[in-house]
Amino acid sequence: MPGTLQHSELDDGGPKTAPDQLQELRHDGSVLSIAVSGDYIFTGTSKGQIVVWSLGTYQLVRTIQAHKRSVLCLFLSQDGKYLFSTACEPIINVWCPKTFRRLYEIYSTYDVGDVFSVVYSPQNETVYFGTQTQYIQWVSLKDEDRRVSHDSANHPDRRQHKFFDSRAVGGTSTPRRTEDYYSLIPRAETVLEVDPYAIEKYAHYGWVFCMQIAKGPTVLVDDDEEVLVSGGGDGTIKLWRLSDKGPGYHEDEDTKGSIQELMVLGEDDAESVMSLFVDGSFLYAGKLGGIIELWDLDTKQRLRVIHAHTGNINAVGLRFGLLWSASTDGFASKHRAAHTTEESNGTSQYVSQRYQCLSRWKAHNAKILSAAVATYQNNQLFITGANDNTVRIWHVNGAPAETEEVDGEHEDMVIRSLRQFVSYKTVSSRPEFTEDCRKGATFLGSLFKRLGAQVEMLSSDGPHNPVVFAKFSGKLEPAEKRKRVLFYGHYDVVPADMAGENWKTDPFKLVGQNGYLYGRGVSDNKGPIIAALYAVSDLLQAKALDSDIIFLIEGEEESGSRGFEETILKHKDLIGHIDYVLLANSYWLDDEVPCLTYGLRGVLHATVCVDSKHPDLHSGVDGSNMISEPLTDLTLLLGKLKGPRNKVNIPGFYDGILPITEEEELRYDDIASILIKRNPTAGPVDALKRSLMARWREPNLTIHRYNVSGPDGSLISSHATANVSIRLVPGQEVEEIISKLKSFLKTEYEKFDSDNTLTVRIDNKAEPWLGVPGNYIFRTLEEAVMRAWGGSSSSSPSTSTPSDTDSASSPSSPSSSLSDNEKANGVTLPPNATNGETTSTGAAAPKTRKPLYIREGGSIPPIRFLEKEFNAPAAHLPCGQASDSAHLHNERLRLVNLQKSREIFTTVFRKL
């Protein structure tokens, strides 16, 4: 072959560092094929399923049983109108990529075996497919003559089968395999039977692994003429001229049917062609053994042979000015593309010099069987799928094409900033992490400053972690007219115990999986802080920030907010006047319904100590009724605190508790009924309602632990302590409860007539908080939540069944469940779906409704303090789901929750 170049050894000159992995999507089957639309990632699996993931949130949207066998190929038409799928069976399916309806079922009257490749010609409205029997066949979607009934005798499931139906005289046929999941394959709206003459037999002398439709790729055709390109197991690449004539049309004996051979490349090479990509007159062929060939279709020259991998190259493509490939060796790579530069002269010498490996990284510890390159909100993505049942999304930094915007990197900065933030081990409860806490505070301060804030590190006189103060100034003039909103959060986290492989991933390394972000603090409270920060940044860039936004991010909330009040009081003049207080430091009641929190219990932690004047004694030598034992005294004393059914015996303990109002009673009824509908096992309704009221609006006292002096053994300890906490509710004053607790313990202890000494120490305290659901800040939050979430927040996957298909065809208004931001970005939903998601039962999620107004049993010490100190109403927006596992192993935050929280904060900061 003229112009053939010898390939070099495997190019390992590029960096081995992998690009940022945004997400890992897991399913239960090998990923054999991938297609990407503007909204979804479609993956074909070894279980015959098409698994649909949201490209924006990486959540599982739908699982469709598409075929009986492994889905070998997925192809999305250029106009996005059709999604084609083929499998290890003689059936081609055509789907609507927005409604997921099965529009067409196509089959051949020949026994073609597996169908490896499929493409679509928009000009001819014709489907072409390559088969295991080395054929290329085709059919027009608009050919009325090819439409047949669903029960046609020629269907592969019903016609004579060479194996199953063959039998000797007097014998029986082999029963055909039938699986229960076959019934889950949706019924096609139209069935097309390929004309027996619409066939190019032995198009290759090997399986037809790959095909592509290219417009004007060679001087042999017009610039706007479509050409079919095919690659086969015989190592050849063929170009075919397409005709709109019928299958039986013959101009001369060299023309058979509707395709005519134009060109054959690679007849001297028997290595199978596994993947193809045509760019202008250049053709890239991924082959066995890790080879990428570059062909000039005008001169028929093989310009370059790139030894890119050690395994078979199952995916090759050109995007962002770079050549991308993925192989069965588990590696992905990008190479510099020569002809995209202006000085390219097309000579073989220049091309040979220009193709170099820029990066080659281990993308999977398995065989990569499929890959795709895509953009989403101007982020450049390389998506790989392998036989380890995973899809991985990589954020790549290629050179943007001329038609693509280069300023969209700001969107990805949210994840990048959160990844850095999570990497700091800001554990405030352990002294060994003190330096990490300071570094985390410094990072956050620098991030605030880069995004336009005035930043100060506030501290008290004690050895406490600093409070990060950041002020974003609004544009409304004069400054006195601006509203001032205070956002409270905390950058410290609870410890992450790695013992016993409790964490599936490194807790201080942000990892994306199945639409969730995993890492310590991602939900509590680093993710919400980043969402609020970039919401302000959005408004600043849009010149739409009228109010001043003040951030106070402390570093010891997980340790009782020690020193926080002193720090705020010390710097109150710097903080200035505040109109509203906003925080986002908790979670929904379940994984389905957004919530707003308007009440929190207060808390006080106390240590009760009993000390003896004697040292530790031996219970056998010294023990007698003449000795008052500290642990016995402490046990008897703490037993006085509570009676049957957890009733607290402290006199006046329940005085002042606010009675329940009719409005609040109805609120509990609403919450309980919704939770029961979603999870019937949580019932009955009355019991659930009572449980919520007990945890949210009733106080409680808990004895946590005992400690004694001396080693284990037969000792009378000289010192015994116990830790006690009391959860308080609105109407109970912290100082009054402290006084009553101390008085009660002292009075009861005096009755013991003990020689030991009692001490009660208050370790920390926080007042209960009760907001006003009907005030302006809550109304603003409610409106923002409804606008952002649209329909439902449900994230449960569903499986498409015949009934799903029928219901999907009924009229609906899918756009009503989209946020304005989604509509602006062209997001569309299938009918009767909400964000493409359903409830855990597979039914469509409910329509838009108001968020649930809830109270919580936990405590956030600063909220009531800030509300009182600045005389400003507070409101609380839970950002995460109940399953976020905050404070537990494998803490996570759903990506869509992070995005929606940012959208909600943007609306609230703009309106307040």
Side-chain angles (χ1 to χ4, degrees), residues 593-622:
V593 187
C595 300
L596 292 176
T597 300
Y598 71 95
L600 294 165
R601 292 198 293 191
V603 67
L604 69 87
H605 291 276
T607 301
V608 183
C609 309
V610 177
D611 292 285
S612 172
K613 61 184 178 181
H614 304 291
D616 294 339
L617 302 173
H618 191 282
S619 61
V621 175
D622 301 304

Side-chain angles (χ1 to χ4, degrees), residues 252-277:
D252 53 54
E253 61 183 24
D254 294 327
T255 304
K256 297 179 179 179
S258 296
I259 66 174
Q260 177 186 5
E261 187 178 292
L262 278 176
M263 184 187 304
V264 183
L265 307 173
E267 292 179 285
D268 60 340
D269 188 352
E271 295 288 357
S272 297
V273 181
M274 308 303 296
S275 52
L276 284 172
F277 189 85

Side-chain angles (χ1 to χ4, degrees), residues 765-786:
K765 58 188 178 180
E767 291 189 75
W769 168 70
L770 189 65
V772 182
N775 66 10
Y776 181 68
I777 186 171
F778 270 109
R779 293 199 309 271
T780 304
L781 274 169
E782 178 183 297
E783 178 185 341
V785 168
M786 293 179 66

Side-chain angles (χ1 to χ4, degrees), residues 662-675 685-686 689 692-693:
E662 181 179 354
E663 180 183 7
E664 187 180 4
E665 183 98 36
L666 293 174
R667 197 172 290 134
Y668 280 104
D669 290 335
D670 189 28
I671 295 170
S673 63
I674 290 173
L675 294 182
V685 173
D686 289 343
K689 175 183 174 182
L692 293 174
M693 294 175 67

Side-chain angles (χ1 to χ4, degrees), residues 4 259 313 336 347:
T4 297
I259 66 174
I313 297 180
R336 190 187 307 278
T347 64

